[in-house]
Amino acid sequence: MSGVNIGFWNSVRREISRMGSRPLYLIMMVFIPLGCALFFISLMSSGLPLKTPVGIVDYDHSQLSREVTRNLNSTELLEICSKDESFHAAMEKVRQGDIFGFFVIPIDFQEDAMAGRKPALEFYSNMTYFVPGTLSFKGFKTIAVTTSAGVMRSELSYVGLTPGQIGALLQPVVITTHGIGNPWLNYSYYLTPSFSFATFALMIMLFTAYSITEEIKSGSSVQWLAVAKDRISVALAGKLLPQSVIFIVVMLCAVAIMFRFLHFPMNGSLLMFSLAVVIFVLASQAFGVLVCSALPNPRLAFSVISLLSVLTFSFAGFSFPVEDMYGAIGIFSYLMPVRYLFLIYVNTALNGFDTYFVRYYYVILLAFIPAGYMLVWRLKKACLKPVYVP
Amino acid sequence: MKWFVDIARVFRREMSLIVSDMGVMIFFILLPLAYPIVYTLIYNPEVVRKVPVAVVDDSRTPESRELVRQASAAPAFGLYGYATDMAEAKRWWADRDVYAVMHIPSDYAKDIARGEQANVTMYCDMSLLLRYRALLSAMTSLQIKLAEDITEQRIDLYAGSMSGMAGLPVETDNHFLGDTQQGFASFVIPGIVVLILQQSMLLGIGMLGGTSRERRRANGGVDPLEIQDASTFSTVWGKALAYIVFYIVPTMFLLRYIPVIFNLPHHGDPVDYLLFIFPMVVASAFLGQALVALIKEREYVFLYIVFTSVVFLFLSGLTWPRYAMSPFWTAVGDLVPATHGVEGFIRINGNAASLYDNKEPFMALWILSGVYFLLAMLVTWWLRRPGRASAKASAQRSPSMAADTMPPA
């Protein structure tokens, strides 16, 4: 065996014995990432938060107003938790967080509706919480419009129109909106994978930086390089490859749980997606190496990685589209590997596009790997003369 | 009176440790200062505008063009172009040029002229729910607008006796509370600032504690920069007071000035939200000291605390409402001060609630303060327990390490 080969295997052996030496490695590489993935899966297992707690203020107390109340309560989006006597009482409940919206039926509602005096049904949705606010709005709007249509239907049938004519009168144009790939509006399908991947990215990068800078902090980096015959590339390969294997296995586990056991939509090829996951792990490690090479100090490297990773949850555009961000902020999303994995996920798993349409994302993910090792000569210098700055 | 003097001495020492440690200062000053600004800048465009849409118009009539014109008037709808057929539109979609396809069937104008119901189909990309939501609400409004326009003409046609009636007999009037423009920054930032408040405290306190533990290890179980003769009680309180006092300015900045600078909803009375958030700061000051049990080295805060920000964000119910969580996760969320802090602050800030309206989270925060105080006492006592010093002293490492790990105080 050549010297380089021996150096590599000795480095691998050294790294594996380090991994076995303390629980921190297991916690960081397995428990935290997998635990976070399971957390997201379990938290949002129902997919869409139905039964938004809402209130009703009925000033009319008529047959029609009671019917409206029943209709409200029968939609899956709403659950009437409180019936209040006034607007102010309902508002108080909103302020106390008991309800996320309320519906107001005005005084003399039935009478005015039948007489054609156009009473107004009012509803209030608390948008300080986006999801319950939106869902309560949707439920209220549906009931308000159908109530209105119901009144009109009976009026028009008095003048002798057929049901077909009435339908065309009430809704002359029907615009049906189809959500492709996620017709259930399942929040979990797009939040759980993306947030889990971003957590993986955070932990992989932090751990890579930890395992390298820890050597510098404790001064063992000299010995680390010596084992690899003073070749930084061999030393890094010996250190990072065992970690890559563990991260890839853990991440594919999470992917299997989501797409095989829990049947998250996978309209593309699971094999190609798994390949993207493998490249993503290597790309994230390379990113960690790049930061360590630029800043061979544990605190500074961790700071940069944490800062970028935590912001990635926002600027990678998992919830707010990158196209609508300010240009100067939006470009940051393209600097992080997880953005490309996210794009591959939504475009293949949800939209079902062929790999052809996401080919560039694969290429860019791959490009992160060599880019991460650009500054290793700096890292080598730091490892040979380890200086620890707290 | 000794305990009182001791608290003051611990307070002074902790303050000087904070100020002399660059890493801690970054957490205590730079993080609360810069992070919310970056966050708000990310979300500051607030709403999704001009989502590119392809139109497949098989009708090719004045009516269908009018429909597209009216749709384009909605801020969320951005007309990308007319595709000749669905196959071309689909290709545009796959190339990421459009995020939705509107299909107008060939009999659209015919149906309207005949007084029948005309159907239009919208296919929407679901990679982001926000885009779908924007387009869906634009289409709903359009549908209602068309109903009003067309129905009015038709009623005249069918029944002259009802010609006085225009539109629907019952009007609907919707109001949005708190975040009236449904902006994304206005929704998410008030919650985020509270979370930043707690997380930056936990990170900074953890780093101080980890550094102290490193000094302790290097010096045979005794931290030379600690007030040795202060009791556990005085130590925990002295440190907590230092953090609380230090956080007066960041708290004011986060809760008051971030909403004001970025013109986010900010309706609450400062007295209400500052009084409300006080027990959260107290609870965080104690929780941070309790978490030092995990932080063996100063850098461990990054490994153990950074990822919790995402978990805590979800537990707070900001993205996924708490009423839809399982009892287990609700209970876990109850243990995090920021969960109550986010709930209460959002109500005060967005809905102008009072402190009284938030009596439940307020009480919960005081209970958490009590619990974490006891936990902090336990951890501090365990770290400083006398048996440890002598045991470590026998296995003492080289004393020169002490100088390395000591910050320049």
Short mmCIF file of all heavy atoms in Angstrom, two decimals, chain B residues 166-222:
data_model
loop_
_atom_site.label_atom_id
_atom_site.label_comp_id
_atom_site.label_asym_id
_atom_site.label_seq_id
_atom_site.Cartn_x
_atom_site.Cartn_y
_atom_site.Cartn_z
N ALA B 166 -79.93 44.87 -7.81
CA ALA B 166 -78.64 44.65 -8.46
C ALA B 166 -77.76 43.85 -7.54
O ALA B 166 -77.69 44.11 -6.34
CB ALA B 166 -77.98 45.98 -8.79
N GLY B 167 -77.11 42.87 -8.08
CA GLY B 167 -76.17 42.08 -7.29
C GLY B 167 -76.90 41.18 -6.31
O GLY B 167 -78.07 40.89 -6.44
N LEU B 168 -76.19 40.74 -5.32
CA LEU B 168 -76.73 39.77 -4.37
C LEU B 168 -77.54 40.47 -3.29
O LEU B 168 -77.25 41.61 -2.94
CB LEU B 168 -75.57 38.98 -3.76
CG LEU B 168 -74.82 38.10 -4.77
CD1 LEU B 168 -73.53 37.59 -4.18
CD2 LEU B 168 -75.69 36.94 -5.23
N PRO B 169 -78.57 39.77 -2.74
CA PRO B 169 -79.45 40.41 -1.76
C PRO B 169 -78.79 40.61 -0.40
O PRO B 169 -79.24 41.42 0.40
CB PRO B 169 -80.62 39.43 -1.66
CG PRO B 169 -80.07 38.12 -2.06
CD PRO B 169 -79.02 38.40 -3.07
N VAL B 170 -77.77 39.84 -0.11
CA VAL B 170 -77.07 40.02 1.17
C VAL B 170 -75.63 40.37 0.86
O VAL B 170 -74.97 39.69 0.07
CB VAL B 170 -77.12 38.71 2.00
CG1 VAL B 170 -76.27 38.85 3.24
CG2 VAL B 170 -78.55 38.37 2.36
N GLU B 171 -75.14 41.44 1.45
CA GLU B 171 -73.76 41.82 1.18
C GLU B 171 -72.85 41.15 2.18
O GLU B 171 -73.27 40.79 3.28
CB GLU B 171 -73.64 43.33 1.27
CG GLU B 171 -74.56 43.98 0.26
CD GLU B 171 -74.11 45.37 -0.08
OE1 GLU B 171 -73.51 46.02 0.79
OE2 GLU B 171 -74.38 45.80 -1.22
N THR B 172 -71.62 40.98 1.79
CA THR B 172 -70.66 40.43 2.75
C THR B 172 -69.53 41.43 2.91
O THR B 172 -69.13 42.10 1.97
CB THR B 172 -70.08 39.10 2.26
OG1 THR B 172 -69.41 39.33 1.03
CG2 THR B 172 -71.15 38.05 2.08
N ASP B 173 -69.10 41.51 4.13
CA ASP B 173 -68.17 42.56 4.49
C ASP B 173 -67.09 41.92 5.34
O ASP B 173 -67.35 41.49 6.45
CB ASP B 173 -68.96 43.58 5.32
CG ASP B 173 -68.46 44.97 5.07
OD1 ASP B 173 -67.43 45.09 4.40
OD2 ASP B 173 -69.11 45.91 5.54
N ASN B 174 -65.88 41.79 4.78
CA ASN B 174 -64.87 41.14 5.61
C ASN B 174 -63.83 42.12 6.14
O ASN B 174 -63.51 43.11 5.48
CB ASN B 174 -64.20 39.99 4.86
CG ASN B 174 -63.61 40.44 3.56
OD1 ASN B 174 -64.27 40.44 2.54
ND2 ASN B 174 -62.37 40.87 3.60
N HIS B 175 -63.36 41.84 7.32
CA HIS B 175 -62.37 42.70 7.96
C HIS B 175 -61.23 41.83 8.47
O HIS B 175 -61.46 40.77 9.01
CB HIS B 175 -62.98 43.43 9.16
CG HIS B 175 -64.21 44.19 8.83
ND1 HIS B 175 -64.19 45.49 8.42
CD2 HIS B 175 -65.51 43.82 8.83
CE1 HIS B 175 -65.42 45.90 8.18
NE2 HIS B 175 -66.25 44.89 8.42
N PHE B 176 -60.02 42.32 8.30
CA PHE B 176 -58.89 41.60 8.84
C PHE B 176 -58.39 42.32 10.09
O PHE B 176 -58.21 43.53 10.07
CB PHE B 176 -57.77 41.49 7.80
CG PHE B 176 -58.16 40.64 6.64
CD1 PHE B 176 -58.43 41.21 5.41
CD2 PHE B 176 -58.28 39.27 6.79
CE1 PHE B 176 -58.82 40.42 4.34
CE2 PHE B 176 -58.66 38.47 5.72
CZ PHE B 176 -58.93 39.05 4.49
N LEU B 177 -58.20 41.56 11.14
CA LEU B 177 -57.76 42.16 12.40
C LEU B 177 -56.25 41.99 12.55
O LEU B 177 -55.68 41.02 12.08
CB LEU B 177 -58.45 41.47 13.58
CG LEU B 177 -59.97 41.46 13.57
CD1 LEU B 177 -60.49 40.57 14.68
CD2 LEU B 177 -60.50 42.87 13.74
N GLY B 178 -55.65 42.90 13.26
CA GLY B 178 -54.23 42.77 13.60
C GLY B 178 -53.32 43.10 12.44
O GLY B 178 -52.67 44.14 12.42
N ASP B 179 -53.29 42.21 11.45
CA ASP B 179 -52.45 42.41 10.27
C ASP B 179 -53.40 42.70 9.12
O ASP B 179 -53.73 41.84 8.32
CB ASP B 179 -51.65 41.11 10.05
CG ASP B 179 -50.80 41.16 8.80
OD1 ASP B 179 -50.73 42.23 8.18
OD2 ASP B 179 -50.21 40.13 8.46
N THR B 180 -53.82 43.96 9.04
CA THR B 180 -54.93 44.28 8.16
C THR B 180 -54.60 44.11 6.68
O THR B 180 -55.49 43.89 5.88
CB THR B 180 -55.40 45.73 8.38
OG1 THR B 180 -54.24 46.56 8.30
CG2 THR B 180 -56.05 45.90 9.73
N GLN B 181 -53.33 44.25 6.32
CA GLN B 181 -52.96 44.12 4.91
C GLN B 181 -52.54 42.70 4.57
O GLN B 181 -52.09 42.44 3.47
CB GLN B 181 -51.81 45.09 4.57
CG GLN B 181 -52.12 46.52 4.91
CD GLN B 181 -53.37 47.02 4.21
OE1 GLN B 181 -53.50 46.86 3.00
NE2 GLN B 181 -54.29 47.60 4.94
N GLN B 182 -52.64 41.79 5.52
CA GLN B 182 -52.24 40.40 5.35
C GLN B 182 -50.80 40.28 4.89
O GLN B 182 -50.46 39.43 4.08
CB GLN B 182 -53.14 39.68 4.35
CG GLN B 182 -54.59 39.76 4.69
CD GLN B 182 -55.44 39.28 3.54
OE1 GLN B 182 -55.34 38.14 3.14
NE2 GLN B 182 -56.25 40.16 2.98
N GLY B 183 -49.95 41.17 5.38
CA GLY B 183 -48.54 41.14 4.99
C GLY B 183 -47.79 40.07 5.76
O GLY B 183 -48.13 39.75 6.89
N PHE B 184 -46.77 39.53 5.11
CA PHE B 184 -46.05 38.43 5.75
C PHE B 184 -45.12 38.93 6.85
O PHE B 184 -45.05 38.32 7.92
CB PHE B 184 -45.26 37.66 4.69
CG PHE B 184 -45.02 36.24 5.08
CD1 PHE B 184 -46.04 35.31 4.98
CD2 PHE B 184 -43.80 35.84 5.57
CE1 PHE B 184 -45.84 33.99 5.35
CE2 PHE B 184 -43.59 34.52 5.95
CZ PHE B 184 -44.61 33.60 5.84
N ALA B 185 -44.44 40.04 6.63
CA ALA B 185 -43.56 40.58 7.68
C ALA B 185 -44.39 41.00 8.88
O ALA B 185 -44.03 40.74 10.03
CB ALA B 185 -42.77 41.77 7.14
N SER B 186 -45.54 41.63 8.63
CA SER B 186 -46.38 42.09 9.74
C SER B 186 -46.86 40.93 10.58
O SER B 186 -47.13 41.08 11.77
CB SER B 186 -47.60 42.83 9.20
OG SER B 186 -47.21 43.85 8.35
N PHE B 187 -46.97 39.77 9.94
CA PHE B 187 -47.42 38.60 10.68
C PHE B 187 -46.27 37.95 11.44
O PHE B 187 -46.38 37.65 12.62
CB PHE B 187 -48.06 37.61 9.68
CG PHE B 187 -47.82 36.16 9.97
CD1 PHE B 187 -48.37 35.56 11.10
CD2 PHE B 187 -47.05 35.39 9.12
CE1 PHE B 187 -48.15 34.22 11.36
CE2 PHE B 187 -46.83 34.06 9.38
CZ PHE B 187 -47.37 33.46 10.51
N VAL B 188 -45.14 37.77 10.77
CA VAL B 188 -44.12 36.90 11.35
C VAL B 188 -43.15 37.65 12.29
O VAL B 188 -42.69 37.08 13.28
CB VAL B 188 -43.37 36.13 10.24
CG1 VAL B 188 -42.27 36.95 9.60
CG2 VAL B 188 -42.84 34.82 10.73
N ILE B 189 -42.87 38.92 12.01
CA ILE B 189 -41.82 39.60 12.78
C ILE B 189 -42.18 39.79 14.25
O ILE B 189 -41.33 39.55 15.12
CB ILE B 189 -41.44 40.95 12.10
CG1 ILE B 189 -40.89 40.67 10.71
CG2 ILE B 189 -40.43 41.71 12.93
CD1 ILE B 189 -39.66 39.79 10.64
N PRO B 190 -43.41 40.18 14.61
CA PRO B 190 -43.70 40.32 16.05
C PRO B 190 -43.43 39.04 16.84
O PRO B 190 -43.01 39.12 17.99
CB PRO B 190 -45.18 40.70 16.07
CG PRO B 190 -45.43 41.35 14.77
CD PRO B 190 -44.56 40.63 13.79
N GLY B 191 -43.64 37.89 16.22
CA GLY B 191 -43.32 36.65 16.91
C GLY B 191 -41.83 36.40 16.95
O GLY B 191 -41.27 36.01 17.97
N ILE B 192 -41.17 36.68 15.82
CA ILE B 192 -39.73 36.42 15.72
C ILE B 192 -38.95 37.25 16.73
O ILE B 192 -38.01 36.75 17.34
CB ILE B 192 -39.25 36.74 14.28
CG1 ILE B 192 -39.90 35.80 13.28
CG2 ILE B 192 -37.73 36.71 14.20
CD1 ILE B 192 -39.14 34.55 12.96
N VAL B 193 -39.32 38.51 16.93
CA VAL B 193 -38.53 39.35 17.84
C VAL B 193 -38.54 38.77 19.25
O VAL B 193 -37.52 38.80 19.95
CB VAL B 193 -38.98 40.84 17.86
CG1 VAL B 193 -38.65 41.52 16.56
CG2 VAL B 193 -40.44 41.00 18.21
N VAL B 194 -39.68 38.23 19.66
CA VAL B 194 -39.75 37.64 21.00
C VAL B 194 -38.85 36.42 21.09
O VAL B 194 -38.12 36.21 22.06
CB VAL B 194 -41.21 37.29 21.36
CG1 VAL B 194 -41.28 36.60 22.71
CG2 VAL B 194 -42.08 38.52 21.34
N LEU B 195 -38.86 35.64 20.01
CA LEU B 195 -38.02 34.45 19.98
C LEU B 195 -36.54 34.84 19.98
O LEU B 195 -35.72 34.21 20.66
CB LEU B 195 -38.36 33.65 18.72
CG LEU B 195 -38.00 32.18 18.78
CD1 LEU B 195 -38.83 31.48 19.84
CD2 LEU B 195 -38.24 31.53 17.44
N ILE B 196 -36.20 35.89 19.24
CA ILE B 196 -34.81 36.35 19.22
C ILE B 196 -34.39 36.78 20.62
O ILE B 196 -33.27 36.49 21.07
CB ILE B 196 -34.63 37.52 18.21
CG1 ILE B 196 -34.79 37.02 16.79
CG2 ILE B 196 -33.28 38.18 18.39
CD1 ILE B 196 -34.74 38.10 15.74
N LEU B 197 -35.30 37.44 21.31
CA LEU B 197 -35.01 37.89 22.67
C LEU B 197 -34.61 36.70 23.54
O LEU B 197 -33.55 36.70 24.18
CB LEU B 197 -36.27 38.57 23.23
CG LEU B 197 -36.21 39.22 24.59
CD1 LEU B 197 -35.18 40.33 24.58
CD2 LEU B 197 -37.56 39.79 24.97
N GLN B 198 -35.42 35.66 23.52
CA GLN B 198 -35.12 34.51 24.36
C GLN B 198 -33.86 33.77 23.89
O GLN B 198 -32.97 33.48 24.69
CB GLN B 198 -36.29 33.53 24.36
CG GLN B 198 -35.96 32.25 25.11
CD GLN B 198 -36.95 31.13 24.87
OE1 GLN B 198 -38.07 31.18 25.34
NE2 GLN B 198 -36.52 30.12 24.14
N GLN B 199 -33.77 33.52 22.58
CA GLN B 199 -32.65 32.71 22.08
C GLN B 199 -31.32 33.41 22.25
O GLN B 199 -30.33 32.77 22.58
CB GLN B 199 -32.88 32.34 20.61
CG GLN B 199 -34.03 31.40 20.36
CD GLN B 199 -33.89 30.08 21.10
OE1 GLN B 199 -34.41 29.93 22.20
NE2 GLN B 199 -33.18 29.13 20.52
N SER B 200 -31.28 34.73 22.02
CA SER B 200 -30.00 35.42 22.19
C SER B 200 -29.57 35.37 23.65
O SER B 200 -28.40 35.23 23.96
CB SER B 200 -30.11 36.86 21.70
OG SER B 200 -30.99 37.59 22.50
N MET B 201 -30.54 35.44 24.57
CA MET B 201 -30.20 35.33 26.00
C MET B 201 -29.66 33.95 26.30
O MET B 201 -28.62 33.80 26.96
CB MET B 201 -31.45 35.58 26.86
CG MET B 201 -31.75 37.03 27.08
SD MET B 201 -33.09 37.27 28.26
CE MET B 201 -32.19 37.29 29.81
N LEU B 202 -30.35 32.91 25.82
CA LEU B 202 -29.90 31.54 26.12
C LEU B 202 -28.50 31.31 25.56
O LEU B 202 -27.65 30.70 26.22
CB LEU B 202 -30.87 30.51 25.53
CG LEU B 202 -32.29 30.50 26.09
CD1 LEU B 202 -33.07 29.33 25.50
CD2 LEU B 202 -32.30 30.41 27.60
N LEU B 203 -28.25 31.82 24.35
CA LEU B 203 -26.94 31.61 23.73
C LEU B 203 -25.84 32.31 24.54
O LEU B 203 -24.81 31.72 24.84
CB LEU B 203 -26.94 32.13 22.29
CG LEU B 203 -27.67 31.27 21.25
CD1 LEU B 203 -27.92 32.06 19.98
CD2 LEU B 203 -26.86 30.02 20.93
N GLY B 204 -26.10 33.56 24.89
CA GLY B 204 -25.09 34.33 25.62
C GLY B 204 -24.83 33.75 27.00
O GLY B 204 -23.67 33.59 27.43
N ILE B 205 -25.90 33.42 27.71
CA ILE B 205 -25.75 32.88 29.06
C ILE B 205 -25.05 31.52 29.00
O ILE B 205 -24.17 31.21 29.81
CB ILE B 205 -27.12 32.76 29.76
CG1 ILE B 205 -27.76 34.14 29.90
CG2 ILE B 205 -26.98 32.11 31.12
CD1 ILE B 205 -29.21 34.11 30.33
N GLY B 206 -25.42 30.73 27.99
CA GLY B 206 -24.78 29.43 27.82
C GLY B 206 -23.30 29.58 27.57
O GLY B 206 -22.48 28.83 28.10
N MET B 207 -22.95 30.57 26.77
CA MET B 207 -21.53 30.76 26.46
C MET B 207 -20.77 31.20 27.71
O MET B 207 -19.66 30.69 27.98
CB MET B 207 -21.37 31.79 25.35
CG MET B 207 -19.92 31.97 24.94
SD MET B 207 -19.74 32.88 23.42
CE MET B 207 -19.61 31.56 22.25
N LEU B 208 -21.36 32.09 28.51
CA LEU B 208 -20.71 32.50 29.76
C LEU B 208 -20.53 31.28 30.67
O LEU B 208 -19.46 31.08 31.26
CB LEU B 208 -21.56 33.54 30.48
CG LEU B 208 -21.54 34.96 29.91
CD1 LEU B 208 -22.70 35.77 30.46
CD2 LEU B 208 -20.21 35.63 30.24
N GLY B 209 -21.58 30.47 30.77
CA GLY B 209 -21.52 29.29 31.64
C GLY B 209 -20.51 28.28 31.15
O GLY B 209 -19.75 27.70 31.93
N GLY B 210 -20.47 28.08 29.81
CA GLY B 210 -19.52 27.13 29.25
C GLY B 210 -18.09 27.57 29.49
O GLY B 210 -17.21 26.76 29.81
N THR B 211 -17.85 28.87 29.34
CA THR B 211 -16.51 29.41 29.59
C THR B 211 -16.11 29.19 31.03
O THR B 211 -14.97 28.80 31.34
CB THR B 211 -16.49 30.91 29.26
OG1 THR B 211 -17.20 31.12 28.05
CG2 THR B 211 -15.08 31.42 29.12
N SER B 212 -17.08 29.40 31.93
CA SER B 212 -16.81 29.21 33.35
C SER B 212 -16.47 27.75 33.63
O SER B 212 -15.57 27.44 34.41
CB SER B 212 -18.02 29.68 34.16
OG SER B 212 -18.01 29.10 35.43
N ARG B 213 -17.20 26.85 32.94
CA ARG B 213 -16.92 25.42 33.17
C ARG B 213 -15.55 25.05 32.64
O ARG B 213 -14.86 24.19 33.22
CB ARG B 213 -18.00 24.56 32.50
CG ARG B 213 -19.29 24.57 33.28
CD ARG B 213 -20.30 23.64 32.67
NE ARG B 213 -19.94 22.24 32.86
CZ ARG B 213 -20.73 21.22 32.50
NH1 ARG B 213 -21.90 21.46 31.96
NH2 ARG B 213 -20.35 19.99 32.70
N GLU B 214 -15.13 25.68 31.54
CA GLU B 214 -13.77 25.41 31.02
C GLU B 214 -12.73 25.87 32.03
O GLU B 214 -11.75 25.17 32.29
CB GLU B 214 -13.55 26.14 29.70
CG GLU B 214 -14.22 25.47 28.52
CD GLU B 214 -13.93 26.17 27.20
OE1 GLU B 214 -12.81 26.67 27.02
OE2 GLU B 214 -14.83 26.21 26.35
N ARG B 215 -12.96 27.07 32.60
CA ARG B 215 -12.02 27.59 33.62
C ARG B 215 -11.98 26.66 34.81
O ARG B 215 -10.93 26.36 35.38
CB ARG B 215 -12.44 28.99 34.07
CG ARG B 215 -12.11 30.09 33.12
CD ARG B 215 -12.22 31.44 33.79
NE ARG B 215 -13.56 31.71 34.31
CZ ARG B 215 -14.49 32.37 33.63
NH1 ARG B 215 -14.24 32.83 32.43
NH2 ARG B 215 -15.68 32.57 34.17
N ARG B 216 -13.18 26.17 35.19
CA ARG B 216 -13.28 25.29 36.34
C ARG B 216 -12.47 24.01 36.12
O ARG B 216 -11.73 23.55 36.99
CB ARG B 216 -14.76 24.95 36.55
CG ARG B 216 -15.14 24.54 37.95
CD ARG B 216 -16.61 24.22 38.00
NE ARG B 216 -17.47 25.39 37.89
CZ ARG B 216 -17.71 26.23 38.87
NH1 ARG B 216 -17.15 26.06 40.04
NH2 ARG B 216 -18.50 27.26 38.70
N ARG B 217 -12.63 23.44 34.92
CA ARG B 217 -11.88 22.21 34.63
C ARG B 217 -10.38 22.45 34.66
O ARG B 217 -9.62 21.65 35.15
CB ARG B 217 -12.28 21.69 33.25
CG ARG B 217 -13.33 20.62 33.28
CD ARG B 217 -13.35 19.81 32.00
NE ARG B 217 -13.40 20.63 30.79
CZ ARG B 217 -14.51 21.22 30.36
NH1 ARG B 217 -15.64 21.10 31.04
NH2 ARG B 217 -14.50 21.93 29.26
N ALA B 218 -9.99 23.62 34.13
CA ALA B 218 -8.55 23.89 34.04
C ALA B 218 -7.95 24.20 35.41
O ALA B 218 -6.74 24.13 35.59
CB ALA B 218 -8.31 25.05 33.09
N ASN B 219 -8.79 24.56 36.37
CA ASN B 219 -8.28 24.99 37.67
C ASN B 219 -8.73 24.09 38.80
O ASN B 219 -9.00 24.54 39.92
CB ASN B 219 -8.70 26.43 37.95
CG ASN B 219 -8.07 27.39 36.98
OD1 ASN B 219 -6.89 27.68 37.07
ND2 ASN B 219 -8.86 27.85 36.03
N GLY B 220 -8.84 22.84 38.51
CA GLY B 220 -9.13 21.88 39.56
C GLY B 220 -10.48 22.09 40.23
O GLY B 220 -10.59 22.02 41.46
N GLY B 221 -11.50 22.33 39.43
CA GLY B 221 -12.84 22.39 39.99
C GLY B 221 -13.23 23.74 40.56
O GLY B 221 -14.32 23.87 41.14
N VAL B 222 -12.38 24.72 40.42
CA VAL B 222 -12.72 26.05 40.94
C VAL B 222 -12.59 27.05 39.81
O VAL B 222 -11.58 27.07 39.09
CB VAL B 222 -11.79 26.45 42.09
CG1 VAL B 222 -12.11 27.87 42.55
CG2 VAL B 222 -11.90 25.48 43.24
#
